[in-house]
Amino acid sequence: MISPIDAMLWGVLPYVVLAVFIGGTIWRYRYDKFGWTSRSSQLHESRLLRVGSPLFHCGLLLVVGGHVLGLLVPKALTEFFGVTEQSYHVVSLLMGTVAGCAALAGLVVLLWRRLRTEAVRRSSSRSDRLTYVLLLAVMSVGLWTTVVDNGVRGPYDYRESIGPWFRDIFLLQPHPELMADAPLDYRLHALLALALFALWPFSRLVHAFSAPVHYLFRPYIVYRSRSGDRVGTRRAPRGWQRP
């Protein structure tokens, strides 16, 4: 038996957040297309942005990839391909620490830029400030779980508790007791992540769905250089030319 609070947090709240995430995204796309943007502030300051933005986004992509591997891929599947628990733990610890530090360092640079540059600070909305606070909290607690729970205190096999709990939500077979027995910092990380996903459709984070991935697959654009007065393969006429 689990407490009613655990049943609400880990059995009901994920579906509420999922409904808000999907419904809010559809609403935002239909009624706020002009606001579907990251609201770039590059014109106000670019030096720190050139450092913080790539560091944050590249680190975040690695973090997301690690979460996909750890939460969506069952433990039995990695063992089937010959990946032992010790090997998985070492790779997860090293890559998670590097990716988490990179993403967190990039976010700190972006926050410092936003605070010290008056024009950028004035252009920040309330949702921007709340988004940055939640991102900082989620990533800090996540890095703590990686370094402390999986490194200092010893490995915690979240693929036997948090992973099944996460997958069972999408199978409409929630098992909140799996998450109720997880360490406190893992539960805090999950709650902060749920809050971030509930805010997602109403913040600048929606621009992640508009990433120009198609640029990688579009054909090359061929440019022809001008040679003297010639444009293309036609020689420029001299004097007047009859229409």
Side-chain angles (χ1 to χ4, degrees):
M1 297 294 294
I2 61 173
S3 66
I5 295 179
D6 286 330
M8 290 292 296
L9 289 178
W10 314 119
V12 178
L13 183 60
Y15 292 104
V16 175
V17 172
L18 191 61
V20 172
F21 180 79
I22 297 176
T25 302
I26 295 174
W27 175 87
R28 179 80 179 270
Y29 183 76
R30 292 190 59 182
Y31 298 104
D32 190 26
K33 289 185 180 180
F34 289 104
W36 191 289
T37 173
S38 63
R39 294 195 296 273
S40 175
S41 56
Q42 185 177 1
L43 292 176
H44 300 307
E45 199 281 336
S46 60
R47 183 174 59 88
L48 291 174
L49 186 64
R50 285 197 299 266
V51 177
S53 183
L55 194 61
F56 170 71
H57 286 92
C58 292
L60 190 61
L61 286 176
L62 293 176
V63 169
V64 172
H67 279 70
V68 170
L69 181 62
L71 297 178
L72 296 181
V73 178
K75 182 178 180 180
L77 185 60
T78 56
E79 291 179 346
F80 175 79
F81 286 101
V83 180
T84 63
E85 178 62 25
Q86 183 179 2
S87 300
Y88 177 88
H89 168 68
V90 172
V91 173
S92 174
L93 178 61
L94 294 178
M95 294 301 297
T97 301
V98 172
C101 288
L104 188 59
L107 181 60
V108 170
V109 172
L110 294 177
L111 283 174
W112 171 246
R113 169 182 177 269
R114 191 164 293 271
L115 290 174
R116 72 182 295 270
T117 307
E118 183 179 359
V120 181
R121 186 173 64 253
R122 288 180 176 273
S123 66
S124 303
S125 63
R126 293 181 179 178
S127 65
D128 292 339
R129 300 187 187 98
L130 184 57
T131 300
Y132 274 110
V133 170
L134 277 177
L135 275 173
L136 184 62
V138 170
M139 295 172 61
S140 299
V141 177
L143 187 59
W144 172 274
T145 60
T146 299
V147 175
V148 177
D149 272 348
N150 285 330
V152 178
R153 297 176 182 171
Y156 171 73
D157 196 358
Y158 55 86
R159 295 193 296 167
E160 292 185 350
S161 57
I162 302 176
W165 166 79
F166 184 79
R167 294 192 298 270
D168 289 343
I169 290 175
F170 297 96
L171 297 176
L172 302 181
Q173 298 176 350
H175 291 88
E177 67 276 3
L178 295 176
M179 196 66 186
D181 295 332
L184 177 61
D185 46 1
Y186 276 95
R187 285 178 284 164
L188 179 60
H189 181 58
L191 287 176
L192 290 172
L194 289 175
L196 182 64
F197 279 107
L199 176 66
W200 193 295
F202 313 104
S203 67
R204 65 168 57 199
L205 295 176
V206 292
H207 79 276
F209 297 130
S210 303
V213 180
H214 62 281
Y215 279 22
L216 301 176
F217 307 100
R218 70 176 185 177
Y220 292 106
I221 300 177
V222 180
Y223 293 92
R224 297 180 182 273
S225 62
R226 290 190 176 188
S227 177
D229 294 331
R230 297 186 61 183
V231 179
T233 59
R234 182 180 178 183
R235 186 178 297 277
R238 300 182 60 183
W240 292 98
Q241 184 180 15
R242 293 176 60 115

